């Protein structure tokens, strides 16, 4: 399939903190085991940021690598979007903080919040803004310090997540992987299946919200599992139908890295061999908005994606949100 006006990925970069924490280390803190975590999720270890490392610091490392990979001068970037649910602070946006840390011009910079689908949502938004011709080179980042919102006494959630960042430089001109199509959606009918209840305008911080541990991520894992498989399957089918591509033509799927059992169920429902799915969640856990760019960048570095091959990026997250992107390597 061809797209007369694709967005090119000029370069990519990713970063994870050096502090690796394996399942055994977590079992010393909560009632869990390496066996349970590995068999239920596929995760062996995750990287956790230092106390003084904020989301924008993780984003900075990934962005520096992406800008170098794209071989682009900083003054050519005219748009920054950071997808995150763990911003440095409620406001100003992490994108503004990143813009300053990178020494970029006084350019349009904002955060986008679509949880684990955030990076793919941001690709869609950047594609539209670049197509308007009012922006020329965008820096799109997925960055998360999930460790900052986890309840480290809750074994049902704290074992699942990790910290990290992935970044891409996008343009309508140049050369690189082509972003050919996008399919985003959301269903806000039950926000409580995955949320951080307090700290917003509905439930501002108070002694009660602190006592009730409402500033941490809460999740109904089983419900999210079922929804994840269903919405990702639908997003991929709708994306491929829109672009008249058959399932057989897909060479690679780079899914959100939450749980290998979710990926296996998705592969089964799409009738795509697991060999075509790129997974690295074993080493990083679920890094939310950073997960797809981290996997994409690692797959590229490993030489997994050959020029001309077709890939699908797909994610789901709190909201619920979902998103799929078609990419020609
Ligand atoms: O980006 C989106 C983020 N969220 C997700 O993707 C999560 C999607 N959901 C999942 O990945 C899975 O549902 C989980 C990994 C969270 C849980 O796996 P599960 O197979 O659905 O387990 P479960 O929730 O049905 O729990 C089974 C048992 C329970 O014990 P009982 O009630 O059977 O006695 C849990 O209390 O496992 C227990 N359990 C644990 N045991 C040891 C839950 N967490 C742990 C743990 N270690 N860390």
């Amino acid at each position: 399939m061809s797209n007369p006006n694709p967005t090119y990925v000029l370069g990519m970069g990713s970063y994870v903190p050096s502090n690796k924490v394996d399942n055994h280390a977590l079992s010393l803190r909560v009632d869990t085991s390496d066996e349970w975590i590995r068999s239920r999720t596929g995760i062996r270890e995750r990287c956790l940021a230092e106390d003084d490392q904020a989301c924008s610091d993780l984003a900075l490392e990934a962005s520096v690598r992406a800008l170098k990979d794209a071989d682009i001068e900083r003054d050519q970037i005219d748009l920054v979007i950071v997808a995150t649910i763990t911003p440095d602070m409620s406001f100003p946006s992490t994108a503004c903080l990143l813009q300053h840390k990178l020494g970029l011009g006084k350019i349009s910079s904002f955060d986008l919040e679509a949880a684990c689908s955030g990076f793919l949502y941001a690709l869609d938004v950047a594609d539209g803004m670049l197509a308007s011709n009012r922006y020329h080179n965008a820096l799109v980042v997925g960055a998360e310090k999930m460790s900052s919102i986890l309840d480290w006494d809750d074994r049902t959630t704290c074992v699942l997540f990790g910290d990290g960042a992935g970044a891409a430089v996008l343009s309508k001109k140049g050369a690189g992987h082509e972003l050919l199509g996008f399919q985003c959606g959301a269903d806000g009918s039950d926000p409580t299946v995955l949320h951080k209840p307090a700290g917003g305008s509905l439930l501002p911080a108070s002694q009660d919200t602190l006592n009730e541990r409402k500033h941490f991520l809460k999740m109904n894992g089983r419900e999210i599992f079922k929804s994840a498989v269903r919405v990702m399957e639908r997003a991929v089918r709708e994306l491929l139908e829109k672009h008249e591509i058959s399932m057989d033509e897909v060479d690679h799927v780079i899914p959100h890295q939450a749980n290998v059992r979710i990926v296996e169920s998705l592969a089964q429902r799409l009738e795509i061999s697991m060999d075509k799915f790129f997974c690295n969640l074993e080493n990083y856990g679920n890094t939310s908005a950073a997960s797809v760019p981290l996997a994409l960048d690692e797959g590229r570095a490993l030489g997994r994606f050959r020029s001309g091959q077709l890939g699908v990026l797909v994610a789901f997250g709190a909201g619920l949100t979902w998103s799929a992107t078609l990419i020609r390597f």
Side-chain angles (χ1 to χ4, degrees):
M1 78 145 285
S2 66
N3 176 336
N5 192 25
T7 287
Y8 297 97
V9 180
L10 302 186
M12 283 202 75
S14 57
Y15 170 79
V16 288
S18 55
N19 176 27
K20 291 183 182 175
V21 177
D22 65 15
N23 294 341
H24 174 69
L26 291 185
S27 73
L28 304 176
R29 161 117 208 192
V30 286
D31 181 16
T32 190
S33 65
D34 176 55
E35 201 284 325
W36 191 96
I37 301 171
R38 265 193 300 114
S39 62
R40 299 283 177 133
T41 71
I43 299 165
R44 280 176 190 273
E45 60 183 10
R46 70 287 294 141
C47 302
L48 300 183
E50 301 298 331
D51 288 346
D52 63 356
Q53 256 183 324
C55 179
S56 64
D57 298 313
L58 310 181
L60 176 66
E61 299 288 344
S63 300
V64 167
R65 292 171 192 189
L67 291 166
K68 186 161 183 259
D69 187 49
D71 196 17
I72 193 168
E73 295 301 326
R74 294 186 185 195
D75 62 5
Q76 289 182 265
I77 301 291
D78 52 10
L79 173 65
V80 180
I81 308 177
V82 175
T84 187
I85 54 168
T86 52
D88 288 26
M89 53 194 94
S90 309
F91 62 87
S93 71
T94 300
C96 287
L97 305 174
L98 177 64
Q99 178 222 63
H100 176 71
K101 286 184 179 184
L102 278 170
L104 301 176
K106 308 298 177 203
I107 55 170
S108 187
S109 307
F110 64 94
D111 284 3
L112 185 154
E113 207 264 63
C116 307
S117 313
F119 182 77
L120 298 188
Y121 260 68
L123 294 182
D124 191 358
V125 170
D127 173 74
M129 293 179 76
L130 294 169
S132 76
N133 245 329
R134 286 185 285 121
Y135 300 90
H136 305 289
N137 299 297
L139 174 66
V140 173
V141 187
E144 302 282 16
K145 185 176 178 182
M146 293 303 287
S147 57
S148 67
I149 59 164
L150 293 175
D151 183 343
W152 289 99
D153 290 335
D154 176 10
R155 68 174 184 173
T156 69
T157 53
C158 75
V159 303
L160 303 175
F161 296 90
D163 301 334
V169 178
L170 307 182
S171 180
K172 285 285 174 190
K173 296 206 178 92
H177 310 320
E178 295 174 19
L179 301 179
L180 302 173
F182 310 87
Q183 184 73 33
C184 293
D187 175 0
S189 59
D190 186 3
T192 62
V193 285
L194 179 50
H195 68 156
K196 181 163 81 69
S201 57
L202 180 66
L203 217 48
S206 67
Q207 197 54 54
D208 284 347
T209 62
L210 283 173
N211 294 345
E212 291 160 15
R213 305 180 82 78
K214 286 187 171 163
H215 294 270
F216 295 123
L217 176 150
K218 313 275 179 201
M219 179 175 72
N220 179 337
R222 279 186 212 178
E223 280 310 310
I224 288 286
F225 192 114
K226 283 187 275 180
S227 303
V229 178
R230 185 170 39 81
V231 300
M232 285 199 292
E233 179 194 4
R234 194 173 61 205
V236 173
R237 288 194 188 282
E238 287 175 357
L239 178 75
L240 296 185
E241 264 166 40
K242 196 156 77 180
H243 295 276
E244 298 178 339
I245 292 172
S246 71
M247 219 51 90
D248 295 344
E249 290 175 83
V250 175
D251 298 300
H252 301 282
V253 183
I254 297 94
H256 173 43
Q257 309 285 317
N259 184 328
V260 75
R261 287 163 52 221
I262 293 179
V263 180
E264 285 164 355
S265 301
L266 178 66
Q268 207 171 23
R269 287 177 62 152
L270 289 172
E271 296 181 68
I272 295 180
S273 157
M274 263 305 273
D275 296 344
K276 291 188 175 182
F277 282 74
F278 183 78
C279 284
N280 64 359
L281 62 89
E282 186 178 355
N283 302 320
Y284 308 117
N286 180 349
T287 56
S288 183
S291 121
V292 173
L294 257 178
L296 184 58
D297 193 41
E298 187 165 308
R300 288 167 85 232
L302 292 170
R304 281 284 291 264
F305 317 129
R306 290 202 305 279
S307 177
Q309 286 187 320
L310 206 53
V312 172
L313 318 176
V314 62
F316 70 94
L320 288 175
T321 58
W322 55 86
S323 186
T325 307
L326 193 59
I327 184 168
R328 171 84 68 194
F329 293 107

